[in-house]
Amino acid sequence: TGVQTCALPICGISPKTLNIIMAGTGVGKSLFMCHHAAACLMQNKNVLYITLEMAEERIAERIDANIMDITMDELQDLPLEMYEKRLLSATRGVSGKLIVKEYPTSYANANHFRVLLDELRLKKQFTPDIIFVDYINICSSARFKHGNNINSYGYIKAIAEELRGLARSE
């Protein structure tokens, strides 16, 4: 799920909207989102990528591979010095910044993300132009406890509404 918070369209996404990428298990939703995040960075946009599934390092590696236009295998085989040179060369002139934040599965909700946004603004002078949340089914709701007399449709709907509210408020 990508939540965009900018007043102008970014990478083809309308401002202040919740955009959901849906596909079967293992099809490449996270790969697509990493590719999209890399494209936004290369357009000088500040990107916040929130992950509840994969480690921060794996997400950053995928985005770096996209930026350098190499495979993950090629990225793994690059010596550190070569990696740094290639990344620096690929991002020369790019002013967009990337922050990847990992939360435990089923722990974080839109309120946690609001606090993170406030901390990033205050401590790092970082305001994202676009926010990616990977992924909605393993977020928690700020309004409901999972299994608390609410079916899965209602629970995921509540999370989507909360994330849409986050997009509209930023």
Side-chain angles (χ1 to χ4, degrees), residues 14-142:
S14 297
K16 297 187 178 262
T17 60
L18 173 68
N19 299 273
I20 299 177
I21 310 305
M22 294 176 55
T25 303
V27 172
K29 297 176 294 292
S30 296
L31 282 171
F32 170 80
M33 287 177 52
C34 287
H35 178 77
H36 197 157
C40 291
L41 278 169
M42 298 308 287
Q43 292 179 23
N44 298 315
K45 302 302 179 192
N46 289 333
V47 175
L48 173 60
Y49 196 111
I50 298 170
T51 177
L52 293 99
E53 180 183 31
M54 265 191 267
E56 291 174 5
E57 297 79 14
R58 299 295 79 77
I59 296 296
E61 286 173 353
R62 285 181 174 193
I63 293 171
D64 288 351
N66 272 283
I67 288 170
M68 292 187 279
D69 196 26
I70 60 175
T71 67
M72 288 299 294
D73 288 339
E74 291 170 323
L75 182 73
Q76 298 300 324
D77 292 340
L78 274 180
L80 180 59
E81 186 176 308
M82 180 64 79
Y83 163 83
E84 290 171 347
K85 261 188 203 176
R86 286 190 70 172
L87 188 60
L88 184 62
S89 175
T91 58
R92 186 165 284 120
V94 173
S95 62
K97 303 287 183 224
L98 169 69
I99 293 183
V100 181
K101 176 65 177 170
E102 178 184 359
Y103 287 96
T105 298
S106 299
Y107 168 77
N109 61 50
N111 290 339
H112 292 100
F113 305 154
R114 276 190 181 85
V115 169
L116 173 63
L117 289 167
D118 289 344
E119 285 181 10
L120 291 173
R121 282 185 199 106
L122 182 65
K123 295 178 181 175
K124 296 193 177 203
Q125 291 73 51
F126 178 88
T127 300
D129 296 305
I130 190 165
I131 303 169
F132 292 88
V133 179
D134 192 2
Y135 66 92
I136 194 169
N137 284 21
I138 54 177
C139 284
S140 66
S141 169

